Every structure is written in structure tokens, then in C-alpha cells.
Amino acid sequence: MTQYRRWNIGPLGTGDRDLIRAQENERIVIDQIWITNKDTSNRTVDLHHLPADDGASTDDFCLIHGHTINSKTYEILDTKIYLDPGDRIVVHAGAANAIILTAYGRTL
């Protein structure tokens, strides 16, 4: 049974944070990710899709890197991202207390 969901995180610090982590028996399809910059300066964000139990660097699985979000605006990443059990979406902001992310999707 499909269950529609929303995941929200932020304002972010500058360390890597999980936006979404698929549980052991869960598959997730992300339909959209909204990236908001609430600051008065332009800010950057990185977004990574890390497969379960993969020891590689987050840079090996980068979806967007150093992408600038203009001040007091938002952008929508409008693409499908599929997460298998244990996979996660990790985010990193270039500055603290500015970036907020909201993902919309469904569990299968």
C-alpha cells in the first residue's frame, strides 16, 4: 500500500545530515525536494544519495554540489529519486541556519 509522506529538516548547520533514511523493509520514491534559503545572503547546498552499507565518500553519490540558492528564495528539485532499504539522502549546507529542505514522496 502506498503511503504519501513529507520529510522536513532545517535550518541546517554545516555538517552532513540525513534528510531521509529508508528503513530495513521500506522502499521510498521521492517526487520533489524543496530547498529554501531563509537568509538574506545567497547560500549553497549539497545533496547526496547514499546506498545502504556503502563506505564510499558522500561525493561519490552527489546529486547536486555547491548549488546556490538565492537569498529569501526556494528551488524545487522535481525528479524521481528511488531509495531501497537502508539508502539515505544526505544534505550539507554551506552556512548554518539558512537552508531548510522539505521532501515529498511515498513509501511503497
Side-chain angles (χ1 to χ4, degrees), residues 9-15 17 36-41 43-44 72 92-101:
I9 189 171
L12 295 173
T14 56
R17 297 268 311 268
T36 303
N37 177 3
K38 69 182 194 82
D39 200 47
T40 56
S41 297
R43 300 297 180 192
T44 60
K72 300 287 186 181
H92 179 92
N97 299 317
I99 300 293
I100 300 168
L101 284 97

Side-chain angles (χ1 to χ4, degrees), residues 5-72:
R5 295 184 57 190
R6 180 187 66 197
W7 297 265
N8 191 39
I9 189 171
L12 295 173
T14 56
D16 289 346
R17 297 268 311 268
D18 285 354
L19 172 62
I20 303 165
R21 181 187 295 261
Q23 301 303 312
E24 285 184 28
N25 59 350
E26 184 177 54
R27 293 189 188 288
I28 299 173
V29 178
I30 303 302
D31 297 313
Q32 288 185 335
I33 299 177
W34 290 54
I35 307 168
T36 303
N37 177 3
K38 69 182 194 82
D39 200 47
T40 56
S41 297
N42 297 345
R43 300 297 180 192
T44 60
V45 65
D46 300 339
L47 188 67
H48 308 271
H49 176 192
L50 297 178
D53 302 321
D54 195 303
S57 164
T58 56
D59 290 338
D60 292 343
F61 299 98
C62 193
L63 298 172
I64 60 173
H65 180 73
H67 184 71
T68 299
I69 308 296
N70 293 328
S71 67
K72 300 287 186 181

